[in-house]
Amino acid sequence: MRPRHYDLIAFDWDGTLFDSTALIARSIQRAVTDVGGTTPTTEAASYVIGMGLMQALAHAAPDVPPERYPQLGERYRHHYTAHQHDLSLFDGVLPLLTELKGRQHWLTVATGKSRRGLDEVLRTVELVGLFDGSRTADETAGKPHPLMLQELMREFGVAPERTLMIGDTTHDLQMALNAGCASVGVSYGAHEPDAFHELKPLHVAHSVRELHDWLTENA
């Protein structure tokens, strides 16, 4: 077995492990339309994925007044939950996580989802025993603020140089940079990878298989 370079690996959820970005973007668009705002483009709706829900909706719907945010959030949840059970892990994610667990990495999730939303989806895909810890935007701070990673590092007693963040958005990679951690980007999620390079990820993986191979060699 190769020596372990990172004791703690933190994964973003949507668009990194879970094939949900198209549904999230579509749900944001429909929610904004429902409350009378200007429907954001798919690119604009995808950009906010990874932020906390209300932060994301406010960014995607600048012409919706703040007093309508609760309704906006309710309409988003309506559209998302109507189809969430059609979603699944990306192919290859479960073997990847199982192998990393066998190498004695701490596996965690750092996500813009709510605690309730993350717990529900973890039960849905039967991953409860694989993750050692998690943080969500509603219990810490939204990305790219580093608080999620800082709390996870404190919980497991791991230094930033022994922590790796993996995500599909610039918000994930900026959070890692803000926390002093290394990062790896994936190009198959919400954001185009052209914007990743200035955030200094160690690698950008274009498939779960490529991510698996890179982590086997380098994590």
Side-chain angles (χ1 to χ4, degrees), residues 120-183:
E120 182 176 343
V121 76
L122 285 175
R123 286 193 297 269
T124 299
V125 295
E126 300 178 339
L127 286 173
V128 178
L130 272 178
F131 290 105
D132 302 292
S134 59
R135 289 296 186 279
T136 60
D138 61 335
E139 62 190 9
T140 56
K143 300 171 186 178
H145 195 286
L147 186 58
M148 286 189 212
L149 287 178
Q150 290 168 339
E151 289 192 356
L152 287 168
M153 289 187 288
R154 280 198 298 270
E155 179 178 344
F156 293 98
V158 178
E161 60 269 21
R162 302 287 297 181
T163 301
L164 180 66
M165 176 69 204
I166 301 172
D168 69 309
T169 71
T170 55
H171 314 308
D172 299 311
L173 306 187
Q174 184 66 61
M175 178 176 66
L177 205 57
N178 292 345
C181 302
S183 68

Side-chain angles (χ1 to χ4, degrees), residues 20-209:
S20 51
T21 55
L23 175 59
I24 293 172
R26 188 165 64 248
S27 299
I28 290 171
Q29 290 174 309
R30 290 177 176 174
V32 175
T33 302
D34 287 350
V35 302
T38 303
T39 305
T41 64
T42 300
E43 182 181 11
S46 297
Y47 175 77
V48 302
I49 293 174
M51 298 179 178
L53 177 59
M54 297 318 298
Q55 177 190 8
L57 293 174
H59 193 284
D63 60 340
V64 173
E67 59 268 23
R68 303 207 70 180
Y69 288 175
Q71 184 187 3
L72 187 60
E74 186 279 325
R75 294 310 298 165
Y76 168 80
R77 285 186 284 269
H78 167 79
H79 291 297
Y80 182 84
T81 56
H83 297 282
Q84 66 177 341
H85 297 298
D86 300 334
L87 302 175
S88 63
L89 294 168
F90 286 108
D91 287 344
V93 162
L94 196 55
L96 165 63
L97 296 173
T98 302
E99 181 175 310
L100 292 173
K101 188 77 169 176
R103 289 171 56 95
Q104 306 302 310
H105 297 281
W106 295 114
L107 300 184
T108 64
V109 176
T111 177
K113 297 181 80 66
S114 67
R115 168 52 59 189
R116 178 180 176 182
L118 179 63
D119 286 349
E120 182 176 343
V121 76
L122 285 175
R123 286 193 297 269
T124 299
V125 295
E126 300 178 339
L127 286 173
V128 178
L130 272 178
F131 290 105
D132 302 292
S134 59
R135 289 296 186 279
T136 60
D138 61 335
E139 62 190 9
T140 56
K143 300 171 186 178
H145 195 286
L147 186 58
M148 286 189 212
L149 287 178
Q150 290 168 339
E151 289 192 356
L152 287 168
M153 289 187 288
R154 280 198 298 270
E155 179 178 344
F156 293 98
V158 178
E161 60 269 21
R162 302 287 297 181
T163 301
L164 180 66
M165 176 69 204
I166 301 172
D168 69 309
T169 71
T170 55
H171 314 308
D172 299 311
L173 306 187
Q174 184 66 61
M175 178 176 66
L177 205 57
N178 292 345
C181 302
S183 68
V184 168
V186 300
S187 69
Y188 51 80
H191 285 191
E192 292 295 325
D194 292 348
F196 291 175
H197 300 295
E198 65 188 55
L199 300 173
K200 302 179 173 61
L202 299 178
H203 181 67
V204 176
H206 301 294
S207 66
V208 174
R209 179 71 258 174

